[in-house]
Amino acid sequence: MSVSAVATDTAVCDPLPVLGRDVLVPLVTGGQIDYAALDYAASAPALQRVWDDVAAYAPYYGSVHRGAGYLSQLSTDLFENSRATVAEFLGCRADDQVVFTRSTTDSLNLLAAVLPPGTRVFVFETEHHASLLPWERRADLAVTYLDAPRTPGQAVDILERALTEREPYGPALVCVTGASNVTGELWPVRELAAAAHAHGARIVLDAAQLAPHHPVDLAELDADWVAFSGHKLYAPFGAGVLAGRADWLRDAEPYLAGGGASRSVTRRPDGGVAVDWHTTAARHEAGSPNVIGAYAIASACKALTEAGLENLVAREQALIARLRAGLAEVPEVKVLSLFGDDAPRVGVLSFVVEGWNSSHFAAALSAEYGIGVRDGLFCAHPLVRTLLGGEPDSPAECGAPDAAPGEKPLNAIRVSFGAGTPDEHVERFLRAVGELVRDGARWNYRTEGGRCVPDTSA
Ligand code: PLP
């Protein structure tokens, strides 16, 4: 099958085409190949629909909440309607707020900033750094890091125990990821929310990896907040979302001080200024809003809903099954997992290859097969180190000899996919893994700027 035939076949049957499917990349061994984007968990390609919607709006672009002109009014409506679309997509309750942020990281830092003084925070050590790290920056928060569970049931038990041991407490927050960015495994969000609420704690769901692959319904999950990023939801225009309970957001100081967050500012008799801050989402959106980012997210929400997220899930499950079955045929490959083979998961999978440095393997996938994956610790260092069996034996570089058999790997390789991924990309990946393990890389590699790259100096 030719490259162009691959792209055409998929375009015909795919209700959610993405950009970039016909992009050609050079191979170090000569020639070009269409790029196999298998790093959706880092940033997914834009949906064609999102791109088209943004392009159609672009000539009408104007300031939001600030102008009297027609395009300002139109842009303001678009921004506020985007908020409503996102609220619907997330199953928000009537009094929830949807705040547009820059990303999941920004959303969780915002939530950390608005927690009532002295809030106790419970967070699993397995979280992505975006949900692991924001809490300790506030000295008045008491953070409890929970050990990695080995089953979803154990996660609930560990949380229950921690919440019970530390009672009584005032405000408390549990932070949990919906789908792991390392293993793709789903966490028992509903059960964790029930445990949190039974002890009077609230819960925030890091849905950065869940929302692009799986329906998220705040009311149904009984979660208090949810955070996600546009660029992982096929809407790469610099916006993210924090949605959920209004009270703590409304009671806290604005995240950023500035125009848009303030209703009125007056001089005080003592010479200072008195500010009347908004009590709506605008309170935490100071500065000119990113209307294109917000509109792109809303467009993606609509596209995913209209195409039927259940269809996306079914297609992705078939690809996951194929991927896992293919990798199971290569004894040198070890797939990383917390919850075991039967755990429900999204299209994200990490693995190591016996005798290989992961950076070397990922570089060869790119340079020799045109396949884009990620290698490293995926901004979840404690989790990946646990899954790899602890701290590395020696800090080898990719130009150095590969890992000796039995040596603890330094890092892992992650493959991830979603809407618009053709079967051929997964098949090419499996073929590449088989060939690299059997025959080795066809090229020499060296380390440059911390990355493993093909050595083209010879
Ligand atoms: N949470 C999870 C589970 C993630 O996978 C990521 C990014 O990889 C983040 C949070 C942070 O997302 P962003 O970089 O868009 O802020």
Side-chain angles (χ1 to χ4, degrees):
M1 190 183 281
S2 74
V3 166
S4 56
V6 169
T8 315
D9 284 351
T10 345
V12 169
C13 66
D14 191 348
L16 285 170
V18 293
L19 296 186
R21 59 204 313 158
D22 46 4
V23 167
L24 297 177
V25 292
L27 297 177
V28 72
T29 44
Q32 293 186 318
I33 193 164
D34 67 307
Y35 185 62
L38 292 178
D39 194 13
Y40 278 45
S43 285
L47 283 179
Q48 183 69 53
R49 157 86 177 268
V50 169
W51 192 257
D52 292 346
D53 281 353
V54 166
Y57 162 62
Y60 301 91
Y61 175 76
S63 65
V64 170
H65 296 152
R66 287 163 167 74
Y70 187 86
L71 296 195
S72 289
Q73 302 296 321
L74 185 147
S75 296
T76 301
D77 283 353
L78 199 77
F79 186 68
E80 292 304 331
N81 290 341
S82 299
R83 210 191 287 285
T85 302
V86 171
E88 196 180 334
F89 180 74
L90 295 173
C92 286
R93 295 147 296 224
D95 47 0
D96 281 341
Q97 281 187 357
V98 173
V99 184
F100 283 114
T101 63
R102 289 182 298 160
S103 61
T104 309
T105 304
D106 197 29
S107 297
L108 293 170
N109 275 273
L110 161 60
L111 187 61
V114 305
L115 294 181
T119 298
R120 274 197 167 277
V121 179
F122 298 84
V123 55
F124 285 93
E125 65 175 20
T126 46
E127 292 292 310
H128 185 280
H129 295 170
S131 34
L132 190 70
L133 302 182
W135 324 106
E136 269 209 340
R137 301 186 73 212
R138 258 184 68 180
D140 66 308
L141 304 181
V143 188
T144 303
Y145 295 101
L146 306 172
D147 291 343
R150 282 304 183 157
T151 64
Q154 225 179 59
V156 181
D157 292 345
I158 291 171
L159 177 64
E160 279 275 6
R161 208 171 318 123
L163 288 165
T164 308
E165 276 166 11
R166 284 160 187 81
E167 264 170 337
Y169 37 74
L173 179 78
V174 175
C175 176
V176 69
T177 189
S180 166
N181 70 309
V182 177
T183 65
E185 291 162 340
L186 298 183
W187 279 63
V189 177
R190 199 177 293 100
E191 292 78 3
L192 291 167
H197 290 153
H199 292 267
R202 296 185 176 195
I203 188 164
V204 57
L205 169 61
D206 173 349
Q209 300 296 344
L210 187 66
H213 303 276
H214 205 274
V216 174
D217 190 309
L218 260 194
E220 196 254 326
L221 291 169
D222 200 17
D224 297 284
W225 292 277
V226 60
F228 73 88
S229 303
H231 71 102
K232 297 186 197 290
L233 193 86
Y234 313 104
F237 288 89
V241 167
L242 176 70
R245 304 276 179 212
D247 52 354
W248 288 2
L249 288 163
R250 198 175 44 221
D251 295 346
E253 285 294 302
Y255 187 39
L256 295 173
S262 48
R263 252 190 311 230
S264 98
V265 180
T266 48
R267 289 300 299 269
R268 284 195 316 250
D270 66 3
V273 288
V275 187
D276 179 21
W277 300 107
H278 278 294
T279 52
T280 58
R283 184 181 189 85
H284 299 294
E285 293 174 345
S288 298
N290 175 1
V291 55
I292 288 193
Y295 180 51
I297 289 181
S299 164
C301 292
K302 277 191 189 151
L304 291 169
T305 306
E306 284 164 19
L309 257 174
E310 63 288 357
N311 296 331
L312 190 64
V313 171
R315 157 109 185 108
E316 201 175 298
Q317 291 304 314
L319 286 178
I320 294 170
R322 172 67 190 121
L323 178 68
R324 287 174 62 80
L327 288 178
E329 285 172 16
V330 187
E332 291 82 355
V333 168
K334 178 175 174 262
V335 172
L336 304 186
S337 165
L338 258 191
F339 296 158
D341 284 348
D342 297 333
R345 43 177 44 88
V346 299
V348 177
L349 177 148
S350 299
F351 64 100
V352 289
V353 186
E354 182 74 35
W356 280 80
N357 178 325
S358 295
S359 306
H360 185 182
F361 202 86
L365 285 173
S366 170
E368 300 179 28
Y369 296 91
I371 297 170
V373 296
R374 181 161 169 198
D375 64 280
L377 299 172
F378 317 130
C379 296
H381 294 187
L383 170 59
V384 180
R385 293 223 163 96
T386 297
L387 295 173
L388 294 180
E391 296 301 317
D393 294 326
S394 60
E397 291 196 321
C398 86
D402 276 319
E407 196 176 63
K408 253 180 242 150
L410 275 178
N411 50 26
I413 304 154
R414 182 180 71 190
V415 53
S416 54
F417 47 81
T421 301
D423 292 351
E424 191 274 334
H425 288 181
V426 171
E427 294 305 329
R428 192 195 314 173
F429 170 78
L430 289 173
R431 181 169 51 80
V433 170
E435 285 178 6
L436 286 171
V437 169
R438 193 185 61 228
D439 307 330
R442 281 171 286 165
W443 206 263
N444 289 328
Y445 294 81
R446 63 187 167 83
T447 304
E448 189 180 282
R451 289 218 56 78
C452 193
V453 294
D455 188 351
T456 47
S457 59

